[in-house]
Amino acid sequence: MINMCSKRKSVFSLPSDSEKKKAKYNDDLQLAKDSIPSTHSPQSKENNFVLLRTLLQDIIQSHGDTQSHGSQTDTDIFTAATELDAALQRAAGTIKSTTKRYEGATLALETSEANVECSLPPLPPILDDMLERAVFTHPGVSNNSGATYDRLEVLGDAYIELISTKLIWDRFQDIPSGQISQIRERLVKNETLSDYASKYGLDSRASVPPDYRKQPKRWLKTKADIFEAYVAAVVLSDTSNGYCVAEEWLRQLWSPKLEKLEKPKSALHAKEALAKKIMGKGIKLNYIDERPPAQRGRGLQTYFIGVYLTGWGWNHKHLGSGQGSNKAIAGNEAAEQALLNEPLIEKIMEVKKAHLAQR
């Protein structure tokens, strides 16, 4: 078996300050881990928010110290950091106090639960300046394909597909292959990656043709490409741990989405629960397609299923409807909806009980 985290040869040379970037990122990541007792607690979310603003303030302060000999790249980074920091400041409307320290210091913020939800895991650094410039350079503004993200986004797309598939494989061990693909689509679609690019401020650092930002569909795809290129650059620029760094970053980034997909095991057996309440000899519960599946692209579909009762004095009585990425999920949701209609279910159960008592 290939160890994806093992050292690989890179065709790119590391800049002299790459180890500093790497060490700083590791320190920031460790700080976040050490200060977070639980990944689901409000305190952990607040610490992530604090860490993000600390990094931004560090960038802004560093630029001020070296502004006299800064490059265009430094200026772009400073602009992006300033804009993102301002956005976070606006979001943190209930911040009561701010304490700033630079060079390994902390930034303490008190924020509301709503503000905490905008926190993201730390953005891993790209340890090669040439790769970093390429990530933010659109092929339309340079004739040198090696100096743009043209090739990087293809490789990044492959890494993202692999990492997301492995994450879903490990987390949802009882689902079929088709459902793995459906969940993965939620994680890797352009809308998701574009949103991440915006939240990290990657889009504000991009050099693109002038009209791109005015075309919503094209700009969305461009932002997704930049995010994919960034992932590839993180991996390529660190020959020892790049893949592992990218994998852990994406795992943390996707975790909130995957948590929303997880349901209690009892919720996955609504059909059985409904049948136990109202079924009997000669009674039928029919799960029927209520309309044709809706096509969602890339071969994905949404199914619409209704559950109907025949028996106990009812003929084809509609109990509930559901929808899902396959018929099993849609049917289960229909049963859940039926169970939520407690007055009707209780009435059916009373009729069932009376019938059984007469036997």
Side-chain angles (χ1 to χ4, degrees), residues 183-218:
I183 295 175
R184 181 179 61 204
E185 170 65 15
R186 297 190 183 191
L187 303 184
V188 307
K189 62 183 180 179
N190 285 337
E191 290 80 1
T192 299
L193 302 185
S194 172
D195 182 56
Y196 289 148
S198 295
K199 287 179 177 178
Y200 277 112
L202 304 183
D203 54 341
S204 64
R205 301 167 61 182
S207 177
V208 299
D211 59 334
Y212 267 53
R213 298 176 188 269
K214 300 177 182 179
Q215 303 176 50
K217 290 185 178 180
R218 175 173 282 182

PDB file of all heavy atoms in Angstrom, residues 183-218:
ATOM      1  N   ILE A 183     -22.566  12.002  -1.570  1.00  0.00           N
ATOM      2  CA  ILE A 183     -22.052  12.840  -0.476  1.00  0.00           C
ATOM      3  C   ILE A 183     -20.806  13.583  -0.930  1.00  0.00           C
ATOM      4  O   ILE A 183     -20.624  14.770  -0.638  1.00  0.00           O
ATOM      5  CB  ILE A 183     -21.753  11.979   0.763  1.00  0.00           C
ATOM      6  CG1 ILE A 183     -23.048  11.377   1.314  1.00  0.00           C
ATOM      7  CG2 ILE A 183     -21.058  12.809   1.841  1.00  0.00           C
ATOM      8  CD1 ILE A 183     -22.841  10.425   2.469  1.00  0.00           C
ATOM      9  N   ARG A 184     -19.947  12.886  -1.672  1.00  0.00           N
ATOM     10  CA  ARG A 184     -18.722  13.528  -2.162  1.00  0.00           C
ATOM     11  C   ARG A 184     -19.055  14.724  -3.043  1.00  0.00           C
ATOM     12  O   ARG A 184     -18.375  15.757  -2.996  1.00  0.00           O
ATOM     13  CB  ARG A 184     -17.881  12.514  -2.935  1.00  0.00           C
ATOM     14  CG  ARG A 184     -16.562  13.095  -3.472  1.00  0.00           C
ATOM     15  CD  ARG A 184     -15.782  12.024  -4.209  1.00  0.00           C
ATOM     16  NE  ARG A 184     -16.533  11.531  -5.349  1.00  0.00           N
ATOM     17  CZ  ARG A 184     -16.349  10.333  -5.906  1.00  0.00           C
ATOM     18  NH1 ARG A 184     -15.441   9.508  -5.409  1.00  0.00           N
ATOM     19  NH2 ARG A 184     -17.064   9.952  -6.951  1.00  0.00           N
ATOM     20  N   GLU A 185     -20.095  14.598  -3.849  1.00  0.00           N
ATOM     21  CA  GLU A 185     -20.484  15.695  -4.728  1.00  0.00           C
ATOM     22  C   GLU A 185     -20.789  16.957  -3.927  1.00  0.00           C
ATOM     23  O   GLU A 185     -20.471  18.074  -4.356  1.00  0.00           O
ATOM     24  CB  GLU A 185     -21.702  15.278  -5.555  1.00  0.00           C
ATOM     25  CG  GLU A 185     -22.364  16.399  -6.349  1.00  0.00           C
ATOM     26  CD  GLU A 185     -21.475  16.980  -7.432  1.00  0.00           C
ATOM     27  OE1 GLU A 185     -20.458  16.347  -7.774  1.00  0.00           O
ATOM     28  OE2 GLU A 185     -21.788  18.076  -7.930  1.00  0.00           O
ATOM     29  N   ARG A 186     -21.368  16.800  -2.751  1.00  0.00           N
ATOM     30  CA  ARG A 186     -21.661  17.969  -1.917  1.00  0.00           C
ATOM     31  C   ARG A 186     -20.383  18.654  -1.448  1.00  0.00           C
ATOM     32  O   ARG A 186     -20.347  19.871  -1.271  1.00  0.00           O
ATOM     33  CB  ARG A 186     -22.478  17.553  -0.692  1.00  0.00           C
ATOM     34  CG  ARG A 186     -23.845  16.985  -1.002  1.00  0.00           C
ATOM     35  CD  ARG A 186     -24.660  16.846   0.266  1.00  0.00           C
ATOM     36  NE  ARG A 186     -25.954  16.232   0.022  1.00  0.00           N
ATOM     37  CZ  ARG A 186     -26.936  16.191   0.915  1.00  0.00           C
ATOM     38  NH1 ARG A 186     -26.748  16.734   2.105  1.00  0.00           N
ATOM     39  NH2 ARG A 186     -28.085  15.614   0.630  1.00  0.00           N
ATOM     40  N   LEU A 187     -19.344  17.875  -1.236  1.00  0.00           N
ATOM     41  CA  LEU A 187     -18.092  18.426  -0.716  1.00  0.00           C
ATOM     42  C   LEU A 187     -17.244  19.078  -1.796  1.00  0.00           C
ATOM     43  O   LEU A 187     -16.533  20.047  -1.517  1.00  0.00           O
ATOM     44  CB  LEU A 187     -17.275  17.318  -0.035  1.00  0.00           C
ATOM     45  CG  LEU A 187     -17.940  16.548   1.108  1.00  0.00           C
ATOM     46  CD1 LEU A 187     -16.941  15.560   1.707  1.00  0.00           C
ATOM     47  CD2 LEU A 187     -18.473  17.482   2.178  1.00  0.00           C
ATOM     48  N   VAL A 188     -17.283  18.543  -3.015  1.00  0.00           N
ATOM     49  CA  VAL A 188     -16.321  18.962  -4.038  1.00  0.00           C
ATOM     50  C   VAL A 188     -16.937  19.794  -5.157  1.00  0.00           C
ATOM     51  O   VAL A 188     -16.212  20.238  -6.053  1.00  0.00           O
ATOM     52  CB  VAL A 188     -15.617  17.732  -4.655  1.00  0.00           C
ATOM     53  CG1 VAL A 188     -15.004  16.860  -3.573  1.00  0.00           C
ATOM     54  CG2 VAL A 188     -16.575  16.900  -5.511  1.00  0.00           C
ATOM     55  N   LYS A 189     -18.231  20.024  -5.130  1.00  0.00           N
ATOM     56  CA  LYS A 189     -18.844  20.787  -6.217  1.00  0.00           C
ATOM     57  C   LYS A 189     -18.314  22.220  -6.219  1.00  0.00           C
ATOM     58  O   LYS A 189     -17.846  22.744  -5.198  1.00  0.00           O
ATOM     59  CB  LYS A 189     -20.363  20.769  -6.103  1.00  0.00           C
ATOM     60  CG  LYS A 189     -20.929  21.405  -4.848  1.00  0.00           C
ATOM     61  CD  LYS A 189     -22.443  21.252  -4.821  1.00  0.00           C
ATOM     62  CE  LYS A 189     -23.042  21.888  -3.563  1.00  0.00           C
ATOM     63  NZ  LYS A 189     -24.516  21.762  -3.544  1.00  0.00           N
ATOM     64  N   ASN A 190     -18.399  22.860  -7.375  1.00  0.00           N
ATOM     65  CA  ASN A 190     -17.840  24.200  -7.533  1.00  0.00           C
ATOM     66  C   ASN A 190     -18.414  25.202  -6.542  1.00  0.00           C
ATOM     67  O   ASN A 190     -17.703  26.092  -6.058  1.00  0.00           O
ATOM     68  CB  ASN A 190     -18.079  24.699  -8.962  1.00  0.00           C
ATOM     69  CG  ASN A 190     -17.163  24.042  -9.968  1.00  0.00           C
ATOM     70  OD1 ASN A 190     -16.089  23.548  -9.623  1.00  0.00           O
ATOM     71  ND2 ASN A 190     -17.577  24.013 -11.226  1.00  0.00           N
ATOM     72  N   GLU A 191     -19.707  25.071  -6.239  1.00  0.00           N
ATOM     73  CA  GLU A 191     -20.328  26.009  -5.310  1.00  0.00           C
ATOM     74  C   GLU A 191     -19.672  25.937  -3.929  1.00  0.00           C
ATOM     75  O   GLU A 191     -19.443  26.968  -3.286  1.00  0.00           O
ATOM     76  CB  GLU A 191     -21.830  25.720  -5.193  1.00  0.00           C
ATOM     77  CG  GLU A 191     -22.646  26.062  -6.421  1.00  0.00           C
ATOM     78  CD  GLU A 191     -22.565  25.001  -7.503  1.00  0.00           C
ATOM     79  OE1 GLU A 191     -21.885  23.965  -7.292  1.00  0.00           O
ATOM     80  OE2 GLU A 191     -23.178  25.196  -8.565  1.00  0.00           O
ATOM     81  N   THR A 192     -19.368  24.723  -3.487  1.00  0.00           N
ATOM     82  CA  THR A 192     -18.744  24.549  -2.173  1.00  0.00           C
ATOM     83  C   THR A 192     -17.326  25.101  -2.157  1.00  0.00           C
ATOM     84  O   THR A 192     -16.947  25.863  -1.261  1.00  0.00           O
ATOM     85  CB  THR A 192     -18.718  23.057  -1.791  1.00  0.00           C
ATOM     86  OG1 THR A 192     -20.057  22.560  -1.731  1.00  0.00           O
ATOM     87  CG2 THR A 192     -18.054  22.859  -0.433  1.00  0.00           C
ATOM     88  N   LEU A 193     -16.526  24.725  -3.157  1.00  0.00           N
ATOM     89  CA  LEU A 193     -15.132  25.162  -3.195  1.00  0.00           C
ATOM     90  C   LEU A 193     -15.027  26.668  -3.408  1.00  0.00           C
ATOM     91  O   LEU A 193     -14.147  27.328  -2.843  1.00  0.00           O
ATOM     92  CB  LEU A 193     -14.384  24.414  -4.298  1.00  0.00           C
ATOM     93  CG  LEU A 193     -14.388  22.879  -4.195  1.00  0.00           C
ATOM     94  CD1 LEU A 193     -13.508  22.273  -5.277  1.00  0.00           C
ATOM     95  CD2 LEU A 193     -13.933  22.421  -2.816  1.00  0.00           C
ATOM     96  N   SER A 194     -15.921  27.215  -4.222  1.00  0.00           N
ATOM     97  CA  SER A 194     -15.935  28.659  -4.444  1.00  0.00           C
ATOM     98  C   SER A 194     -16.233  29.403  -3.149  1.00  0.00           C
ATOM     99  O   SER A 194     -15.624  30.446  -2.854  1.00  0.00           O
ATOM    100  CB  SER A 194     -16.985  29.005  -5.504  1.00  0.00           C
ATOM    101  OG  SER A 194     -17.148  30.400  -5.619  1.00  0.00           O
ATOM    102  N   ASP A 195     -17.154  28.865  -2.368  1.00  0.00           N
ATOM    103  CA  ASP A 195     -17.498  29.484  -1.087  1.00  0.00           C
ATOM    104  C   ASP A 195     -16.298  29.476  -0.141  1.00  0.00           C
ATOM    105  O   ASP A 195     -16.025  30.473   0.540  1.00  0.00           O
ATOM    106  CB  ASP A 195     -18.677  28.733  -0.465  1.00  0.00           C
ATOM    107  CG  ASP A 195     -19.126  29.354   0.846  1.00  0.00           C
ATOM    108  OD1 ASP A 195     -19.448  30.555   0.866  1.00  0.00           O
ATOM    109  OD2 ASP A 195     -19.160  28.630   1.865  1.00  0.00           O
ATOM    110  N   TYR A 196     -15.569  28.362  -0.114  1.00  0.00           N
ATOM    111  CA  TYR A 196     -14.372  28.298   0.723  1.00  0.00           C
ATOM    112  C   TYR A 196     -13.335  29.326   0.267  1.00  0.00           C
ATOM    113  O   TYR A 196     -12.689  29.988   1.091  1.00  0.00           O
ATOM    114  CB  TYR A 196     -13.758  26.902   0.669  1.00  0.00           C
ATOM    115  CG  TYR A 196     -14.553  25.832   1.371  1.00  0.00           C
ATOM    116  CD1 TYR A 196     -14.543  24.514   0.915  1.00  0.00           C
ATOM    117  CD2 TYR A 196     -15.309  26.121   2.502  1.00  0.00           C
ATOM    118  CE1 TYR A 196     -15.268  23.523   1.559  1.00  0.00           C
ATOM    119  CE2 TYR A 196     -16.042  25.141   3.147  1.00  0.00           C
ATOM    120  CZ  TYR A 196     -16.018  23.836   2.670  1.00  0.00           C
ATOM    121  OH  TYR A 196     -16.728  22.858   3.302  1.00  0.00           O
ATOM    122  N   ALA A 197     -13.161  29.442  -1.050  1.00  0.00           N
ATOM    123  CA  ALA A 197     -12.188  30.403  -1.576  1.00  0.00           C
ATOM    124  C   ALA A 197     -12.527  31.819  -1.127  1.00  0.00           C
ATOM    125  O   ALA A 197     -11.639  32.600  -0.753  1.00  0.00           O
ATOM    126  CB  ALA A 197     -12.148  30.323  -3.100  1.00  0.00           C
ATOM    127  N   SER A 198     -13.812  32.147  -1.137  1.00  0.00           N
ATOM    128  CA  SER A 198     -14.234  33.486  -0.708  1.00  0.00           C
ATOM    129  C   SER A 198     -14.020  33.684   0.785  1.00  0.00           C
ATOM    130  O   SER A 198     -13.558  34.742   1.224  1.00  0.00           O
ATOM    131  CB  SER A 198     -15.710  33.704  -1.062  1.00  0.00           C
ATOM    132  OG  SER A 198     -15.906  33.700  -2.453  1.00  0.00           O
ATOM    133  N   LYS A 199     -14.352  32.669   1.576  1.00  0.00           N
ATOM    134  CA  LYS A 199     -14.226  32.801   3.027  1.00  0.00           C
ATOM    135  C   LYS A 199     -12.774  32.955   3.464  1.00  0.00           C
ATOM    136  O   LYS A 199     -12.485  33.620   4.460  1.00  0.00           O
ATOM    137  CB  LYS A 199     -14.864  31.593   3.712  1.00  0.00           C
ATOM    138  CG  LYS A 199     -16.384  31.601   3.651  1.00  0.00           C
ATOM    139  CD  LYS A 199     -16.989  30.383   4.322  1.00  0.00           C
ATOM    140  CE  LYS A 199     -18.512  30.457   4.309  1.00  0.00           C
ATOM    141  NZ  LYS A 199     -19.142  29.252   4.909  1.00  0.00           N
ATOM    142  N   TYR A 200     -11.856  32.346   2.726  1.00  0.00           N
ATOM    143  CA  TYR A 200     -10.438  32.487   3.045  1.00  0.00           C
ATOM    144  C   TYR A 200      -9.814  33.722   2.386  1.00  0.00           C
ATOM    145  O   TYR A 200      -8.637  34.003   2.593  1.00  0.00           O
ATOM    146  CB  TYR A 200      -9.667  31.248   2.605  1.00  0.00           C
ATOM    147  CG  TYR A 200      -9.716  30.107   3.594  1.00  0.00           C
ATOM    148  CD1 TYR A 200     -10.397  28.936   3.300  1.00  0.00           C
ATOM    149  CD2 TYR A 200      -9.075  30.195   4.830  1.00  0.00           C
ATOM    150  CE1 TYR A 200     -10.443  27.880   4.202  1.00  0.00           C
ATOM    151  CE2 TYR A 200      -9.111  29.150   5.738  1.00  0.00           C
ATOM    152  CZ  TYR A 200      -9.795  27.993   5.417  1.00  0.00           C
ATOM    153  OH  TYR A 200      -9.833  26.955   6.319  1.00  0.00           O
ATOM    154  N   GLY A 201     -10.585  34.426   1.573  1.00  0.00           N
ATOM    155  CA  GLY A 201     -10.054  35.602   0.901  1.00  0.00           C
ATOM    156  C   GLY A 201      -9.152  35.286  -0.275  1.00  0.00           C
ATOM    157  O   GLY A 201      -8.413  36.156  -0.749  1.00  0.00           O
ATOM    158  N   LEU A 202      -9.200  34.047  -0.777  1.00  0.00           N
ATOM    159  CA  LEU A 202      -8.344  33.676  -1.903  1.00  0.00           C
ATOM    160  C   LEU A 202      -8.751  34.422  -3.169  1.00  0.00           C
ATOM    161  O   LEU A 202      -7.902  34.757  -4.000  1.00  0.00           O
ATOM    162  CB  LEU A 202      -8.416  32.163  -2.149  1.00  0.00           C
ATOM    163  CG  LEU A 202      -8.065  31.245  -0.971  1.00  0.00           C
ATOM    164  CD1 LEU A 202      -8.119  29.782  -1.409  1.00  0.00           C
ATOM    165  CD2 LEU A 202      -6.690  31.584  -0.412  1.00  0.00           C
ATOM    166  N   ASP A 203     -10.045  34.672  -3.321  1.00  0.00           N
ATOM    167  CA  ASP A 203     -10.521  35.339  -4.532  1.00  0.00           C
ATOM    168  C   ASP A 203     -10.002  36.768  -4.642  1.00  0.00           C
ATOM    169  O   ASP A 203      -9.753  37.268  -5.742  1.00  0.00           O
ATOM    170  CB  ASP A 203     -12.047  35.323  -4.583  1.00  0.00           C
ATOM    171  CG  ASP A 203     -12.688  35.896  -3.329  1.00  0.00           C
ATOM    172  OD1 ASP A 203     -11.997  35.978  -2.288  1.00  0.00           O
ATOM    173  OD2 ASP A 203     -13.879  36.260  -3.382  1.00  0.00           O
ATOM    174  N   SER A 204      -9.811  37.432  -3.506  1.00  0.00           N
ATOM    175  CA  SER A 204      -9.343  38.819  -3.537  1.00  0.00           C
ATOM    176  C   SER A 204      -7.873  38.916  -3.941  1.00  0.00           C
ATOM    177  O   SER A 204      -7.388  39.995  -4.280  1.00  0.00           O
ATOM    178  CB  SER A 204      -9.543  39.468  -2.163  1.00  0.00           C
ATOM    179  OG  SER A 204      -8.746  38.833  -1.177  1.00  0.00           O
ATOM    180  N   ARG A 205      -7.163  37.796  -3.923  1.00  0.00           N
ATOM    181  CA  ARG A 205      -5.746  37.787  -4.287  1.00  0.00           C
ATOM    182  C   ARG A 205      -5.532  37.377  -5.744  1.00  0.00           C
ATOM    183  O   ARG A 205      -4.407  37.362  -6.229  1.00  0.00           O
ATOM    184  CB  ARG A 205      -4.991  36.815  -3.376  1.00  0.00           C
ATOM    185  CG  ARG A 205      -5.086  37.155  -1.911  1.00  0.00           C
ATOM    186  CD  ARG A 205      -4.615  36.024  -1.013  1.00  0.00           C
ATOM    187  NE  ARG A 205      -3.223  35.673  -1.238  1.00  0.00           N
ATOM    188  CZ  ARG A 205      -2.593  34.694  -0.597  1.00  0.00           C
ATOM    189  NH1 ARG A 205      -3.250  33.974   0.305  1.00  0.00           N
ATOM    190  NH2 ARG A 205      -1.326  34.433  -0.857  1.00  0.00           N
ATOM    191  N   ALA A 206      -6.614  37.039  -6.434  1.00  0.00           N
ATOM    192  CA  ALA A 206      -6.500  36.482  -7.781  1.00  0.00           C
ATOM    193  C   ALA A 206      -6.253  37.553  -8.832  1.00  0.00           C
ATOM    194  O   ALA A 206      -6.830  38.642  -8.784  1.00  0.00           O
ATOM    195  CB  ALA A 206      -7.762  35.702  -8.128  1.00  0.00           C
ATOM    196  N   SER A 207      -5.399  37.218  -9.782  1.00  0.00           N
ATOM    197  CA  SER A 207      -5.170  38.059 -10.956  1.00  0.00           C
ATOM    198  C   SER A 207      -5.892  37.408 -12.126  1.00  0.00           C
ATOM    199  O   SER A 207      -5.469  36.358 -12.627  1.00  0.00           O
ATOM    200  CB  SER A 207      -3.666  38.166 -11.238  1.00  0.00           C
ATOM    201  OG  SER A 207      -3.425  38.911 -12.412  1.00  0.00           O
ATOM    202  N   VAL A 208      -7.007  38.010 -12.544  1.00  0.00           N
ATOM    203  CA  VAL A 208      -7.867  37.417 -13.570  1.00  0.00           C
ATOM    204  C   VAL A 208      -8.207  38.471 -14.623  1.00  0.00           C
ATOM    205  O   VAL A 208      -8.028  39.668 -14.393  1.00  0.00           O
ATOM    206  CB  VAL A 208      -9.171  36.870 -12.941  1.00  0.00           C
ATOM    207  CG1 VAL A 208      -8.869  35.779 -11.921  1.00  0.00           C
ATOM    208  CG2 VAL A 208      -9.970  37.993 -12.294  1.00  0.00           C
ATOM    209  N   PRO A 209      -8.693  38.034 -15.794  1.00  0.00           N
ATOM    210  CA  PRO A 209      -9.147  39.009 -16.795  1.00  0.00           C
ATOM    211  C   PRO A 209     -10.193  39.946 -16.204  1.00  0.00           C
ATOM    212  O   PRO A 209     -10.999  39.528 -15.358  1.00  0.00           O
ATOM    213  CB  PRO A 209      -9.743  38.115 -17.892  1.00  0.00           C
ATOM    214  CG  PRO A 209      -8.987  36.830 -17.774  1.00  0.00           C
ATOM    215  CD  PRO A 209      -8.756  36.648 -16.299  1.00  0.00           C
ATOM    216  N   PRO A 210     -10.206  41.203 -16.625  1.00  0.00           N
ATOM    217  CA  PRO A 210     -11.053  42.230 -15.997  1.00  0.00           C
ATOM    218  C   PRO A 210     -12.533  41.887 -15.926  1.00  0.00           C
ATOM    219  O   PRO A 210     -13.207  42.243 -14.963  1.00  0.00           O
ATOM    220  CB  PRO A 210     -10.817  43.463 -16.884  1.00  0.00           C
ATOM    221  CG  PRO A 210      -9.485  43.225 -17.512  1.00  0.00           C
ATOM    222  CD  PRO A 210      -9.385  41.748 -17.721  1.00  0.00           C
ATOM    223  N   ASP A 211     -13.062  41.200 -16.931  1.00  0.00           N
ATOM    224  CA  ASP A 211     -14.502  40.967 -16.977  1.00  0.00           C
ATOM    225  C   ASP A 211     -14.953  39.746 -16.185  1.00  0.00           C
ATOM    226  O   ASP A 211     -16.151  39.516 -16.029  1.00  0.00           O
ATOM    227  CB  ASP A 211     -14.961  40.816 -18.432  1.00  0.00           C
ATOM    228  CG  ASP A 211     -14.258  39.661 -19.138  1.00  0.00           C
ATOM    229  OD1 ASP A 211     -13.128  39.324 -18.724  1.00  0.00           O
ATOM    230  OD2 ASP A 211     -14.833  39.102 -20.089  1.00  0.00           O
ATOM    231  N   TYR A 212     -14.025  38.947 -15.668  1.00  0.00           N
ATOM    232  CA  TYR A 212     -14.394  37.698 -15.014  1.00  0.00           C
ATOM    233  C   TYR A 212     -15.231  37.911 -13.759  1.00  0.00           C
ATOM    234  O   TYR A 212     -16.171  37.167 -13.487  1.00  0.00           O
ATOM    235  CB  TYR A 212     -13.137  36.888 -14.668  1.00  0.00           C
ATOM    236  CG  TYR A 212     -12.754  35.898 -15.740  1.00  0.00           C
ATOM    237  CD1 TYR A 212     -12.598  36.311 -17.059  1.00  0.00           C
ATOM    238  CD2 TYR A 212     -12.555  34.560 -15.447  1.00  0.00           C
ATOM    239  CE1 TYR A 212     -12.248  35.422 -18.051  1.00  0.00           C
ATOM    240  CE2 TYR A 212     -12.208  33.651 -16.436  1.00  0.00           C
ATOM    241  CZ  TYR A 212     -12.054  34.090 -17.734  1.00  0.00           C
ATOM    242  OH  TYR A 212     -11.724  33.200 -18.714  1.00  0.00           O
ATOM    243  N   ARG A 213     -14.882  38.899 -12.974  1.00  0.00           N
ATOM    244  CA  ARG A 213     -15.583  39.115 -11.710  1.00  0.00           C
ATOM    245  C   ARG A 213     -17.018  39.587 -11.918  1.00  0.00           C
ATOM    246  O   ARG A 213     -17.825  39.544 -10.985  1.00  0.00           O
ATOM    247  CB  ARG A 213     -14.826  40.137 -10.855  1.00  0.00           C
ATOM    248  CG  ARG A 213     -13.422  39.684 -10.468  1.00  0.00           C
ATOM    249  CD  ARG A 213     -12.679  40.768  -9.710  1.00  0.00           C
ATOM    250  NE  ARG A 213     -11.281  40.434  -9.501  1.00  0.00           N
ATOM    251  CZ  ARG A 213     -10.800  39.801  -8.439  1.00  0.00           C
ATOM    252  NH1 ARG A 213     -11.623  39.451  -7.469  1.00  0.00           N
ATOM    253  NH2 ARG A 213      -9.514  39.534  -8.332  1.00  0.00           N
ATOM    254  N   LYS A 214     -17.338  40.030 -13.125  1.00  0.00           N
ATOM    255  CA  LYS A 214     -18.681  40.512 -13.424  1.00  0.00           C
ATOM    256  C   LYS A 214     -19.579  39.420 -13.999  1.00  0.00           C
ATOM    257  O   LYS A 214     -20.748  39.674 -14.285  1.00  0.00           O
ATOM    258  CB  LYS A 214     -18.603  41.680 -14.414  1.00  0.00           C
ATOM    259  CG  LYS A 214     -17.802  42.865 -13.898  1.00  0.00           C
ATOM    260  CD  LYS A 214     -17.704  43.957 -14.950  1.00  0.00           C
ATOM    261  CE  LYS A 214     -16.859  45.128 -14.461  1.00  0.00           C
ATOM    262  NZ  LYS A 214     -16.740  46.184 -15.501  1.00  0.00           N
ATOM    263  N   GLN A 215     -19.026  38.221 -14.192  1.00  0.00           N
ATOM    264  CA  GLN A 215     -19.785  37.102 -14.752  1.00  0.00           C
ATOM    265  C   GLN A 215     -19.939  36.030 -13.669  1.00  0.00           C
ATOM    266  O   GLN A 215     -19.001  35.267 -13.418  1.00  0.00           O
ATOM    267  CB  GLN A 215     -19.073  36.532 -15.974  1.00  0.00           C
ATOM    268  CG  GLN A 215     -18.817  37.567 -17.063  1.00  0.00           C
ATOM    269  CD  GLN A 215     -18.015  36.996 -18.219  1.00  0.00           C
ATOM    270  OE1 GLN A 215     -18.339  35.944 -18.767  1.00  0.00           O
ATOM    271  NE2 GLN A 215     -16.956  37.693 -18.598  1.00  0.00           N
ATOM    272  N   PRO A 216     -21.094  35.972 -13.007  1.00  0.00           N
ATOM    273  CA  PRO A 216     -21.269  35.114 -11.829  1.00  0.00           C
ATOM    274  C   PRO A 216     -20.865  33.656 -12.037  1.00  0.00           C
ATOM    275  O   PRO A 216     -20.127  33.089 -11.220  1.00  0.00           O
ATOM    276  CB  PRO A 216     -22.768  35.237 -11.529  1.00  0.00           C
ATOM    277  CG  PRO A 216     -23.136  36.582 -12.062  1.00  0.00           C
ATOM    278  CD  PRO A 216     -22.296  36.765 -13.289  1.00  0.00           C
ATOM    279  N   LYS A 217     -21.321  33.033 -13.107  1.00  0.00           N
ATOM    280  CA  LYS A 217     -21.021  31.615 -13.315  1.00  0.00           C
ATOM    281  C   LYS A 217     -19.532  31.396 -13.569  1.00  0.00           C
ATOM    282  O   LYS A 217     -18.928  30.474 -13.028  1.00  0.00           O
ATOM    283  CB  LYS A 217     -21.847  31.065 -14.481  1.00  0.00           C
ATOM    284  CG  LYS A 217     -23.330  30.944 -14.180  1.00  0.00           C
ATOM    285  CD  LYS A 217     -24.077  30.280 -15.326  1.00  0.00           C
ATOM    286  CE  LYS A 217     -25.558  30.118 -14.998  1.00  0.00           C
ATOM    287  NZ  LYS A 217     -26.299  29.476 -16.120  1.00  0.00           N
ATOM    288  N   ARG A 218     -18.954  32.238 -14.401  1.00  0.00           N
ATOM    289  CA  ARG A 218     -17.527  32.099 -14.707  1.00  0.00           C
ATOM    290  C   ARG A 218     -16.682  32.398 -13.479  1.00  0.00           C
ATOM    291  O   ARG A 218     -15.682  31.725 -13.224  1.00  0.00           O
ATOM    292  CB  ARG A 218     -17.154  33.037 -15.853  1.00  0.00           C
ATOM    293  CG  ARG A 218     -15.669  33.062 -16.181  1.00  0.00           C
ATOM    294  CD  ARG A 218     -15.386  33.881 -17.419  1.00  0.00           C
ATOM    295  NE  ARG A 218     -15.722  33.135 -18.626  1.00  0.00           N
ATOM    296  CZ  ARG A 218     -15.530  33.601 -19.858  1.00  0.00           C
ATOM    297  NH1 ARG A 218     -15.034  34.814 -20.033  1.00  0.00           N
ATOM    298  NH2 ARG A 218     -15.844  32.866 -20.902  1.00  0.00           N
TER     299      ARG A 218
END
